[in-house]
Amino acid sequence: MTQLTGHSSALDFAQPEPVDMASGKYVKLWQGPQHPGITGNMSLELTLDGDTIIDCKTHVGYLHRGFEKLMERRSFIQNFTVVCRIAVPEPTFNEYLYSHAVEQLSGIKIPERAIWLRTMNLELMRLASFLMWIGGMSGAFGQYTVPNWTTAYRDFVLDLFEEMTGARIYHMYIVPGGVRAGLPDGFEKRARDIMDGAEKLLDQVERVMFNNAVFKARSKGLGIITPDMIDPYGIVGPNARACGVERDIRKDEPYLAYDQLNFETITGKDSDAYERAYLRLQETRQCISLIRQCLDKAPKDGPFQADMPNVLHWKIPAGETYVKAECTRGEYGYYMVTDGSEFVRRVHVRGPSYTHAIAVMERLAVGNNIADIAGLMVSLHTYPPEIER
Amino acid sequence: MFKKTLNTEDTLKNSGLTDEEQQLFSNARPQAYEPYPIKAVEDFANWARANSLWILAFGTGCGAIELRPLMTARFDANRFGVAGRPTPRQSSVFVIGGYASVKTLKRIIRSYEQMQGPKFVIALGICPVNGGMYFDSYNTVNQFDQYLPVDLYITGCMPRPEVLVAGIMELQKKIKAGECNGANLYVENFDWYKSNQKKVIKNWDMPDYNW
Amino acid sequence: MSLKDLLSPFFVWQRAFEKPYTTLRPTLDRPGAPAYRGFHINITETCVGCGSCQTICQNNAIDMVAVEAYAGRAGDSGLRPRFDYGRCCWCGLCVDICTAASLRMSNEYAWISDDPDSFHFTAGVDDKPWQDNELGYRRAEGYHLNPPKRIEMPMLSAQESLKSFAEVTLGYNEEQAKKEADRCVECGICVATCPAHMDVPDYIHSIRDGDYEKGLQLMYRTNPFPATCGRICTRRCESVCPVGILGEPVAIRWLKRFIVDQVDKKDYQRILEKPIASTGFKVAIIGAGPGGLSAAYYLRQQGHAVTVYEAQATGGGMLRYGVPSYRLPDAELDKDIDHITSIGVEIKYNSRIGKDVMFESLLENYDAVFMSTGLSVPSSMRINGENHARVLSGLQILADVASDRDPGIGKKVAVIGGGNVAMDAARVSRRLGAEVTILYRRRISDMPADEEEIHECQQEGCTIVPQAIPVEIIDADNKQKVCIKWGEAKMVDDPKGGRARPVLQEDKMHTETYDCIISAIGQSSNLDYLSKELQEQLAFEWGKLTPAEYQHTSMKKVFVGGDFANRTADAISAIEDGHHAARGINRFLNPDFYTALEKQEN
Amino acid sequence: MNTVDEILDYAIEQEQLAADFYEDVAQRVETAGMKKILLDFAEEEKRHKKILLAVKTGEHELTPEQEILDLKISDYLVEVKTSENISYQDALIIAMQRERAAYNLYNDMAQKVPDGKLKHILLGLAKEEAKHKLFFEAEYDERVLTDN
């Protein structure tokens, strides 16, 4: 049993001591893929000593669809419809990054209005994603009221998406060259109403969830991430910020309209499940503020799409690029290589779930009670479809 | 250890298992569901089944994303008698949430076979119908009904919760009318389904039938 | 942990008195958003079946299926998209790329079935409840996946162009051509529409690839006059180009010209196919116009010995004598003709049939005869005074200028007519320094001339007087001048739906004096070289005839083509007539061999 | 010609004469195509005759009030002599001018008679001829004046 204390053990990547399964002292337990406590379709192979986890192995591959291969045989315009399916609860980040990479390689400059609409779209997505996550977090600790509130409220945000983009889940709104449409009439008012309601809801959530004795008792001290783990494990986003590491691409290397938005990076002190959850709650509030700023500042008219070639035989000059953006879970990146043909030569999608759900999860699970494994997993905010693509 | 239960004549090979593991599983073939001889009783049973559709909580693909709104406050499927269950043994409805990768298909089959009859399968989205988004992917199956019998398809990508509700109502209608015989179809064409499954699942290290 | 932590969860009860989130009747109360991307709607009447939706669909969810109701419509492939909702991901790219804007999406989203094979839908054909849905996704204003505007053709300014007979259009450069070629959606409707069925999408593709030699090869398969057609084709292809439904059609003609401009004449021999071994058959062709030379080219390719008889001193027919050199420079026409002669076609100039050579002797000495003598006699207006010495024919003026003769038009001329010949005559007159007025009996929009020519004509300072009906030509005081009396017309709609007709208003007459009047109201054929019997036998009707299959006439050895044998009377139709006649002659000369060959080709 | 019946008989006779005229010319032209066209014209005249016969028996009403479009094409064209090798254009001009002459005749007659049944019939016949003229003029406009 490895206890994560101090600097040296955090960097200790040695395999845990092999356990003698034949002794009958230990039990091997598969949690998932069919298990309600798992976020999505993946599984954990747990070795238990009593109800304490002494070893955890993550198994993925249940959702592998071969996106990176699929993209190599679709044209540049077709791919943006495919990539959004990579991370189901948060498709727009894929759309944005894919489009951004293509625009970089082909030298397209998108118009101002598209930049703002994209920013707003991404922030709305962040809000929707966090709202669902809060529900998941609460549900993982056995409380079913908050999920009912926030998941239902997320639906109102999805209604906004539906109006803005024409779809609820896979918006396919951010397209290489800009966005597909402007805002519909009356959108701004409805969006502001929903933001007001969300703010009120978050206050209530904070009260009943974060001040809940049971939730506090179970989540505090659960799965502590220490600052020295950040770089070796490649931890990003709220998971990293919760232990005081100020790391936010929106601030560090501003993209889209983030340099014109007024916000501060939120950090925590010690990154346990509670701290991470609370930080996300605050980021959800920040989201609302950012969306309001976008609504204020976004140009009301003007072009929303750059001049495009005929997309049916769109060739992009040879080149390579890496583009990144801050999604709800941290740095999301696209590495793209083109060879001057009508198809992309290679795309690699770097989702933050990969490290969080595999290396970090395997490390943090050890020593915890089996009942907390679901909560721990949710607190890392991982999406299996994004791990395997 | 358990004794190997021998069926009367036609037994399963369970050939994917080692000799030791063969001891752990039955080699009996699945049996078709026989309706009650009295029609009124069967009708009553169907009515009861239709109004307590318990969904197996197994998010096999993207479709799972819309099951959350479906089950929470806004669409509140509980009022239609729908509930999520954590284990196949308690569930009567298997929702195939979109595409099935080969690795998941194996788990889907195990889970499905463990479910108690009468059981129903709903397939969400385009991928189970004809491959959908991943029709040319090397790791997903295209026409899902080659591997498991599907009682109802709800197309869309993703199908919205509203249409899921509509689908559930449609399923209820079909169950009440006694038309949902997917599970019996599976038993009747067992060998065909098995051979199709084995065509795509290369490492068949599981019993031919789990119950 | 504090007391607060124990109590605060009970605040959930506060929410018990708020309005619930729950949707009461989810299936009824929640239609898709106004711009929702639901099932497709296709306005099948507007759709031309270009198949761009099929091309762009990354899931192969769209199949173009033949729909009988739309078969055989002009500019329409007769196909309509069928959607597979076991594939469609509702991305709406098909709607975005739709060239005709006929495709859209409804806000309907429910389709439940127990049959996986049932999720097929041919929009606008299958009866589905969302067909008339007003809401749903439409392509947003200002959103394009294909540039709607074509690349402007660089041209001489109007002042500059008036100074000489230099070519007005300057041609695309490589970058412009590639950009323009990029706009093609490769639907192939142009191929079906082009009289010669030129392989437009493929040669445009060769521009994108930068492989101009391949482009030239593709063009020569169906048209031995690419340099010419690249400049003066009537381009029916562009009129049906689906890209032109919402934007401007792909500049097919300029792209064709671009390919030819890229290849040097001396490379033609190397690039293009050579004639096959001699067959020993001899074919005579009457008229070295586009029809005759096209037939000559393809017949020679097949190994026949071809002799072309031409009354004029140079070849090209109407292309040389009817099209001024600022539209088609002689050098370009020669580029085409020289290649035809370079493969062994023999042209006998200054040999008029009926005078220098008798038609009957051709029939005797050759295995087949192809006639394509065109329309060379100007039509007359049949108004009083028409025989005045200062009433000239447009054709004559063009021929004079082409042969470097001075037509003697004076300083102030009136041109009567609205066709291309009228426009050419007017522009030639402008270049000769005259002030030009064009009188046309209908509206400018009714003019049969190319829109571009009308525009350029106006640019160059010709005054177009529409709805002007000439009624009489009157002698002027000066013998060198002539008066024309014309009346204003008002347009009256045809109750049967035909084009509006001009009606003379007798109270609004004008008389004007000009140095000359150029009549360009059409032309007819000159068949004097055929005896009456032969004309009768070939079934000419008022100078025109309709040939049978493969341009065959009722006479065994005789094939016809070109302006006097088709309805459209343009170069490209003549070229196709020639090509088609060549196929016909091949079959006629060697029936077994060529039917086998064709079978092999198909 | 003072009675309605007399007028109608005259008009019917004129139509027959016209038909005969075209048939006669058709006999003399050289090309088969032109022959067919002239025979078509003759058929057209026979159709007119039938209409007038119907008027006489009362089955058909003449409509003097009806406005008939006058394209005024034939008014300004030179006269064409019938010959052995007339063209389609010539044939149309002949037809138009014959119809115009008939129209003018009835119209002039109508101006000379007092108001009443007779005038009504004459005007009606004039309009009928105007219709025929329009038929040929429209054809001329459509076929001959294509570029003009």
Side-chain angles (χ1 to χ4, degrees):
Chain A
M1 234 200 289
T2 327
Q3 273 298 332
L4 291 173
T5 49
H7 196 88
S8 59
S9 65
L11 297 177
D12 172 19
F13 292 104
Q15 288 292 312
E17 289 290 310
V19 290
D20 179 14
M21 291 305 291
S23 66
K25 193 183 165 202
Y26 307 102
V27 173
K28 198 149 243 190
L29 185 72
W30 279 72
Q31 186 163 356
Q34 190 275 299
H35 190 279
I38 293 290
T39 63
N41 192 357
M42 63 183 283
S43 58
L44 302 173
E45 184 189 353
L46 304 171
T47 312
L48 299 172
D49 178 4
D51 61 358
T52 307
I53 296 159
I54 58 165
D55 188 25
C56 168
K57 284 268 172 292
T58 345
H59 288 259
V60 294
Y62 299 97
L63 295 176
H64 181 66
R65 290 144 282 173
F67 272 105
E68 290 166 2
K69 197 76 205 161
L70 294 184
M71 285 164 81
E72 285 168 21
R73 51 176 177 245
R74 282 163 165 78
S75 71
F76 287 103
I77 193 70
Q78 292 175 338
N79 269 335
F80 93 99
T81 66
V82 180
V83 291
C84 56
R85 269 98 181 158
I86 290 179
V88 188
E90 241 179 72
T92 36
F93 286 95
N94 290 285
E95 290 170 26
Y96 162 64
L97 284 169
Y98 172 74
S99 302
H100 187 47
V102 167
E103 283 153 12
Q104 273 210 344
L105 288 169
S106 60
I108 291 177
K109 281 253 173 306
I110 61 165
E112 183 72 9
R113 191 166 170 216
I115 292 180
W116 282 96
L117 288 173
R118 280 184 178 187
T119 315
M120 178 148 72
N121 199 273
L122 293 184
E123 285 308 316
L124 276 170
M125 188 75 263
R126 194 187 305 275
L127 175 63
S129 181
F130 272 143
L131 282 173
M132 192 164 87
W133 177 84
I134 291 171
M137 186 68 183
S138 175
F141 288 96
Q143 305 165 342
Y144 295 123
T145 309
V146 173
N148 268 303
W149 292 354
T150 57
T151 314
Y153 207 85
R154 165 180 170 270
D155 229 74
F156 296 131
V157 183
L158 295 189
D159 285 355
L160 287 181
F161 271 121
E162 200 181 316
E163 264 185 66
M164 182 177 182
T165 69
R168 266 169 66 90
I169 301 296
Y170 297 134
H171 312 125
M172 297 178 278
Y173 177 69
I174 300 177
V175 49
V179 293
R180 287 176 96 169
L183 294 178
D185 293 340
F187 178 83
E188 195 182 325
K189 161 123 203 345
R190 284 188 289 276
R192 286 186 196 279
D193 288 350
I194 286 172
M195 292 310 120
D196 294 346
E199 210 159 45
K200 203 171 131 228
L201 176 80
L202 290 179
D203 291 342
Q204 291 167 339
V205 167
E206 179 165 2
R207 194 170 212 170
V208 304
M209 179 174 160
F210 287 87
N211 286 330
N212 184 323
V214 180
F215 179 68
K216 266 190 172 176
R218 287 186 63 184
S219 64
K220 282 210 165 179
L222 174 66
I224 295 171
I225 297 175
T226 52
D228 51 294
M229 283 171 73
I230 301 296
D231 282 339
Y233 279 89
I235 296 168
V236 287
N239 291 344
R241 289 199 285 275
C243 65
V245 178
E246 210 167 305
R247 183 175 286 182
D248 187 337
I249 299 168
R250 289 176 293 175
K251 269 279 173 227
D252 302 341
E253 294 167 58
Y255 54 97
L256 290 178
Y258 284 109
D259 52 349
Q260 298 166 62
L261 293 173
N262 183 22
F263 69 104
E264 290 303 322
T265 305
I266 300 166
T267 49
K269 274 216 306 275
D270 27 58
S271 180
D272 61 9
Y274 184 86
E275 187 87 14
R276 291 194 286 269
Y278 192 64
L279 186 127
R280 288 192 177 101
L281 182 79
Q282 286 170 288
E283 288 204 349
T284 318
R285 288 205 175 98
Q286 191 185 54
C287 250
I288 294 169
S289 139
L290 289 174
I291 292 165
R292 283 183 178 143
Q293 290 180 43
C294 286
L295 286 169
D296 290 341
K297 292 181 183 170
K300 299 284 176 285
D301 39 37
F304 47 80
Q305 191 205 21
D307 283 342
M308 298 282 288
N310 182 357
V311 296
L312 289 180
H313 19 252
W314 187 10
K315 288 181 179 170
I316 289 185
E320 64 175 321
T321 188
Y322 176 73
V323 292
K324 55 189 173 177
E326 183 78 13
C327 74
T328 54
R329 285 118 35 237
E331 176 181 334
Y332 208 102
Y334 265 60
Y335 172 68
M336 188 183 284
V337 185
T338 50
D339 57 3
S341 72
E342 293 180 19
F343 302 98
V344 65
R345 178 71 189 82
R346 173 80 172 100
V347 186
H348 178 74
V349 183
R350 192 270 179 208
S353 298
Y354 189 83
T355 47
H356 294 173
I358 296 179
V360 181
M361 181 67 198
E362 284 181 1
R363 171 54 60 93
L364 294 186
V366 172
N368 281 315
N369 190 296
I370 187 172
D372 289 334
I373 200 83
L376 173 65
M377 217 180 152
V378 178
S379 85
L380 291 172
H381 202 178
T382 57
Y383 292 155
E386 171 196 308
I387 300 172
E388 27 206 307
R389 303 178 292 280
Chain B
M1 282 290 158
F2 303 98
K3 262 271 171 258
K4 193 170 163 183
T5 24
L6 273 174
N7 212 19
T8 44
E9 63 268 10
D10 186 12
T11 56
L12 299 172
K13 287 193 198 112
N14 283 339
S15 52
L17 302 174
T18 59
D19 289 343
E20 188 191 346
E21 280 173 330
Q22 291 233 1
Q23 305 288 318
L24 298 171
F25 295 96
S26 161
N27 58 1
R29 282 187 162 260
Q31 283 176 4
Y33 167 77
E34 294 282 338
Y36 292 104
I38 303 162
K39 189 171 176 294
V41 178
E42 176 67 14
D43 284 351
F44 174 76
N46 277 337
W47 174 83
R49 286 165 191 147
N51 286 299
S52 58
L53 297 173
W54 288 7
I55 294 177
L56 175 63
F58 186 7
T60 59
C62 344
I65 191 81
E66 288 288 36
L67 291 179
R68 279 206 187 173
L70 178 73
M71 299 309 298
T72 51
R74 193 158 196 206
F75 297 102
D76 188 20
N78 287 47
R79 60 188 150 151
F80 304 107
V82 177
R85 299 311 299 165
T87 154
R89 308 275 181 203
Q90 297 171 350
S91 317
S92 59
V93 181
F94 200 148
V95 177
I96 305 298
Y99 63 92
S101 68
V102 174
K103 193 167 174 179
T104 303
L105 181 66
K106 193 169 166 182
R107 276 71 182 174
I108 289 174
I109 292 162
R110 278 201 81 158
S111 305
Y112 175 76
E113 289 178 349
Q114 286 175 41
M115 285 164 65
Q116 306 286 318
K119 51 192 172 186
F120 318 104
V121 178
I122 300 183
L124 302 189
I126 50 176
C127 303
V129 177
N130 196 18
M133 209 69 215
Y134 314 111
F135 74 101
D136 56 347
S137 167
Y138 52 78
N139 199 38
T140 59
V141 298
N142 279 0
Q143 279 143 353
F144 193 81
D145 64 347
Q146 304 281 311
Y147 310 97
L148 279 186
V150 178
D151 292 296
L152 208 61
Y153 291 91
I154 303 173
T155 190
C157 186
M158 284 315 303
R160 296 156 59 104
E162 292 90 337
V163 62
L164 297 189
V165 170
I168 285 165
M169 288 170 157
E170 180 70 27
L171 184 71
Q172 288 175 334
K173 223 186 277 168
K174 282 189 69 176
I175 295 172
K176 281 177 198 164
E179 288 166 2
C180 274
N181 58 350
N184 282 359
L185 218 64
Y186 189 63
V187 173
E188 283 159 24
N189 303 301
F190 188 72
D191 293 323
W192 182 76
Y193 280 113
K194 277 294 153 198
S195 70
N196 284 349
Q197 292 163 2
K198 284 177 180 173
K199 260 180 227 159
V200 294
I201 302 170
K202 300 292 179 213
N203 52 343
W204 186 271
D205 50 352
M206 62 177 185
D208 284 353
Y209 189 77
N210 302 261
W211 50 268
Chain C
M1 188 125 8
S2 64
L3 186 63
K4 191 179 153 218
D5 289 350
L6 286 173
L7 291 180
S8 58
F10 292 97
F11 274 100
V12 294
W13 287 103
Q14 197 188 345
R15 293 285 298 258
F17 305 102
E18 286 181 18
K19 189 170 167 279
Y21 290 145
T22 312
T23 308
L24 273 183
R25 297 171 303 170
T27 48
L28 299 174
D29 291 353
R30 300 240 320 138
Y36 191 75
R37 292 198 300 267
F39 298 118
H40 293 80
I41 300 172
N42 188 18
I43 313 297
T44 26
E45 283 302 315
T46 332
C47 178
V48 295
C50 71
S52 300
C53 43
Q54 184 188 29
T55 315
I56 205 166
C57 182
Q58 74 277 5
N59 286 355
N60 295 359
I62 300 178
D63 278 332
M64 299 301 287
V65 293
V67 174
E68 209 159 302
Y70 302 103
R73 294 213 303 195
D76 187 334
S77 70
L79 306 174
R80 293 294 180 267
R82 184 185 66 172
F83 299 89
D84 177 357
Y85 290 120
R87 281 284 173 84
C88 177
C89 73
W90 286 270
C91 62
L93 274 177
C94 47
V95 177
D96 291 352
I97 197 73
C98 180
T99 53
S102 69
L103 202 57
R104 49 190 66 168
M105 284 166 140
S106 68
N107 66 341
E108 195 72 41
Y109 50 79
W111 189 339
I112 301 160
S113 167
D114 53 5
D115 177 11
D117 297 327
S118 69
F119 293 100
H120 288 285
F121 170 55
T122 311
V125 177
D126 293 346
D127 195 27
K128 288 283 179 189
W130 56 78
Q131 268 185 145
D132 305 318
N133 218 326
E134 290 292 316
L135 297 174
Y137 179 71
R138 307 280 184 276
R139 172 164 47 186
E141 192 84 17
Y143 175 67
H144 304 286
L145 294 183
N146 193 5
K149 289 248 183 279
R150 64 160 61 170
I151 305 291
E152 286 282 337
M153 182 63 161
M155 290 177 71
L156 289 180
S157 70
Q159 290 89 345
E160 197 65 32
S161 64
L162 281 181
K163 286 182 191 156
S164 70
F165 279 83
E167 192 174 16
V168 176
T169 48
L170 301 174
Y172 284 141
N173 62 27
E174 187 154 4
E175 188 199 339
Q176 290 167 324
K178 282 196 165 155
K179 266 196 166 159
E180 183 60 28
D182 194 43
R183 297 174 64 231
C184 173
V185 296
E186 303 190 323
C187 60
I189 291 177
C190 43
V191 183
T193 309
C194 174
H197 305 296
M198 291 193 73
D199 195 353
V200 179
D202 279 356
Y203 71 68
I204 290 185
H205 194 110
S206 77
I207 295 180
R208 288 204 301 274
D209 292 345
D211 188 354
Y212 309 122
E213 297 189 353
K214 187 184 165 205
L216 194 75
Q217 285 167 350
L218 286 170
M219 293 197 296
Y220 263 92
R221 277 189 202 163
T222 43
N223 184 346
F225 280 92
T228 303
C229 286
R231 285 170 168 79
I232 55 105
C233 185
T234 43
R235 64 208 154 101
R236 262 171 280 162
C237 48
E238 290 182 29
S239 67
V240 297
C241 177
V243 178
I245 298 175
L246 296 178
E248 292 170 335
V250 176
I252 299 172
R253 179 171 60 173
W254 299 144
L255 291 174
K256 176 158 44 216
R257 170 188 168 158
F258 173 76
I259 296 181
V260 181
D261 286 355
Q262 300 316 299
V263 184
D264 201 277
K265 196 160 91 177
K266 67 178 181 333
D267 294 330
Y268 271 40
Q269 284 275 6
R270 174 176 57 79
I271 299 166
L272 298 172
E273 279 173 62
K274 311 226 166 7
I276 61 170
S278 172
T279 55
F281 289 113
K282 279 162 62 189
V283 183
I285 286 169
I286 308 175
L293 289 182
S294 165
Y297 178 78
Y298 292 109
L299 286 167
R300 180 71 201 113
Q301 286 285 5
Q302 293 298 325
H304 309 307
V306 182
T307 314
V308 183
Y309 292 90
E310 168 60 48
Q312 303 287 345
T314 43
M318 217 33 110
L319 297 174
R320 190 178 301 272
Y321 297 104
V323 181
S325 59
Y326 60 84
R327 282 175 66 203
L328 174 61
D330 286 349
E332 299 299 333
L333 181 58
D334 288 341
K335 197 175 183 181
D336 287 338
I337 296 177
D338 287 354
H339 179 64
I340 295 169
T341 49
S342 76
I343 65 164
V345 171
E346 186 195 0
I347 307 181
K348 290 197 164 149
Y349 294 113
N350 299 316
S351 323
R352 186 177 287 278
I353 303 297
K355 201 173 120 218
D356 304 315
V357 188
M358 295 316 286
F359 185 79
E360 287 73 9
S361 75
L362 297 183
L363 279 182
E364 230 164 81
N365 298 333
Y366 289 91
D367 298 307
V369 176
F370 175 70
M371 295 196 291
S372 169
T373 53
L375 308 173
S376 53
V377 182
S379 304
S380 75
M381 294 183 281
R382 304 295 174 89
I383 57 175
N384 281 320
E386 197 188 359
N387 296 330
H388 193 286
R390 297 303 297 156
V391 177
L392 309 173
S393 92
L395 274 184
Q396 188 56 45
I397 286 173
L398 295 175
D400 282 349
V401 170
S403 321
D404 290 332
R405 287 190 297 265
D406 179 14
I409 51 166
K411 287 288 152 209
K412 187 182 174 203
V413 304
V415 175
I416 299 169
N420 278 335
V421 173
M423 297 303 123
D424 286 340
R427 295 175 68 186
V428 161
S429 303
R430 281 294 290 151
R431 280 169 175 73
L432 294 173
E435 185 189 311
V436 179
T437 309
I438 298 171
L439 301 175
Y440 178 55
R441 62 189 293 121
R442 299 168 220 267
R443 294 162 299 195
I444 292 186
S445 57
D446 297 319
M447 282 189 166
D450 288 355
E451 213 171 294
E452 263 175 9
E453 269 234 73
I454 298 168
H455 177 73
E456 285 166 22
C457 200
Q458 286 171 316
Q459 289 280 306
E460 289 173 6
C462 303
T463 316
I464 300 181
V465 182
Q467 287 160 261
I469 301 182
V471 294
E472 198 178 357
I473 309 269
I474 310 163
D475 292 345
D477 307 339
N478 184 335
K479 276 244 161 167
Q480 290 306 309
K481 290 186 188 293
V482 62
C483 290
I484 182 167
K485 185 177 172 192
W486 59 271
E488 288 179 25
K490 73 167 186 260
M491 300 304 288
V492 179
D493 286 331
D494 181 5
K496 284 174 197 141
R499 69 171 175 173
R501 297 184 196 288
V503 176
L504 184 69
Q505 292 172 288
E506 282 168 318
D507 51 341
K508 290 182 181 166
M509 291 289 192
H510 304 264
T511 309
E512 193 81 34
T513 311
Y514 294 98
D515 287 343
C516 79
I517 288 166
I518 299 170
S519 151
I521 57 162
Q523 54 261 24
S524 54
S525 56
N526 178 1
L527 299 173
D528 293 347
Y529 62 92
L530 295 174
S531 67
K532 295 280 177 219
E533 292 73 41
L534 274 171
Q535 287 190 33
E536 193 73 7
Q537 201 180 340
L538 291 169
F540 273 96
E541 289 183 9
W542 58 95
K544 287 217 166 204
L545 93 168
T546 314
E549 211 193 351
Y550 288 107
Q551 306 298 118
H552 212 149
T553 63
S554 48
M555 283 176 78
K556 208 177 122 204
K557 276 185 181 181
V558 181
F559 294 75
V560 291
D563 287 0
F564 72 16
N566 63 42
R567 289 179 57 234
T568 45
D570 54 8
I572 189 72
S573 308
I575 289 165
E576 170 57 11
D577 283 357
H579 190 179
H580 202 54
R583 285 183 209 122
I585 292 170
N586 280 333
R587 289 165 58 99
F588 166 71
L589 294 177
N590 196 348
D592 302 335
F593 177 67
Y594 288 102
T595 28
L597 199 72
E598 271 165 28
K599 262 185 199 153
Q600 205 178 353
E601 274 173 13
N602 294 330
Chain D
M1 285 200 290
N2 294 320
T3 67
V4 173
D5 275 2
E6 272 175 27
I7 291 288
L8 280 174
D9 284 342
Y10 172 76
I12 291 163
E13 196 192 329
Q14 286 302 313
E15 299 292 354
Q16 183 56 50
L17 284 176
D20 294 347
F21 168 77
Y22 290 124
E23 279 170 358
D24 177 45
V25 180
Q27 293 310 311
R28 285 183 285 129
V29 294
E30 287 177 339
T31 61
M34 207 56 237
K35 185 170 285 178
K36 185 172 169 294
I37 285 170
L38 288 164
L39 289 175
D40 283 351
F41 284 8
E43 278 305 308
E44 181 68 21
E45 297 299 337
K46 284 179 188 159
R47 197 176 64 82
H48 298 166
K49 182 181 160 190
K50 264 190 203 144
I51 293 174
L52 294 181
L53 283 170
V55 170
K56 201 176 167 193
T57 56
E59 288 163 35
H60 186 82
E61 278 286 307
L62 287 172
T63 49
E65 307 80 20
Q66 197 187 354
E67 278 297 320
I68 307 291
L69 183 63
D70 185 0
L71 293 176
K72 301 202 180 80
I73 292 176
S74 57
D75 306 30
Y76 294 93
L77 295 177
V78 289
E79 244 173 72
V80 175
K81 296 268 175 297
T82 59
S83 71
E84 288 158 1
N85 46 5
I86 57 169
S87 67
Y88 184 52
Q89 187 178 9
D90 296 330
L92 276 174
I93 294 174
I94 292 168
M96 287 191 301
Q97 288 178 341
R98 286 184 71 98
E99 299 295 349
R100 186 168 64 108
Y103 166 78
N104 286 342
L105 174 70
Y106 294 124
N107 222 10
D108 290 351
M109 283 166 79
Q111 301 313 318
K112 288 179 193 142
V113 301
D115 291 357
K117 185 98 201 280
L118 196 56
K119 187 177 182 115
H120 181 88
I121 286 290
L122 283 166
L123 284 173
L125 284 170
K127 284 287 148 74
E128 195 62 35
E129 296 302 327
K131 270 189 223 168
H132 305 162
K133 175 161 136 353
L134 177 64
F135 171 83
F136 289 116
E137 287 196 328
E139 178 75 5
Y140 192 83
D141 184 65
E142 202 63 45
R143 295 287 174 88
V144 180
L145 297 173
T146 42
D147 262 16
N148 193 352

